[in-house]
Amino acid sequence: MRHVFKATKIGWKEEKEGIWFDSSDYTKEEAASEFEPYEGTTQKGYSYTGYEYDGQKYHDVTYLGEFEDDQMPRSDADLYRKRR
């Protein structure tokens, strides 16, 4: 089982990335705490809170749930089908 998160990378392309943590090593809360919040400022001077994990910065991070290894979502369409 794996705790799965979807995160939006910092940048203009709004690239999404899936990040997972093994459920036998992390609780949901422990996995979520791996994303360190930080305060940033946009080029136009607006402040925001972002998240950093493993050297990568993200706009946002969303917990998608806990999945069996062979049932991992590969796209948003997979998530939609699983939630029905």
Side-chain angles (χ1 to χ4, degrees), residues 26-79:
Y26 294 86
T27 65
K28 173 186 172 185
E29 293 77 17
E30 290 169 336
S33 72
E34 291 291 313
F35 297 95
E36 293 287 329
Y38 71 91
E39 298 299 318
T41 306
T42 67
Q43 291 178 346
K44 293 186 177 184
Y46 298 104
S47 62
Y48 68 93
T49 299
Y51 302 90
E52 185 172 357
Y53 170 71
D54 198 29
Q56 178 65 52
K57 292 185 176 184
Y58 301 97
H59 285 286
D60 57 69
V61 177
T62 304
Y63 181 69
L64 300 179
E66 190 173 20
F67 296 87
E68 294 286 346
D69 292 354
D70 63 347
Q71 297 294 317
M72 295 280 288
R74 299 195 191 295
S75 69
D76 286 343
D78 285 349
L79 292 170

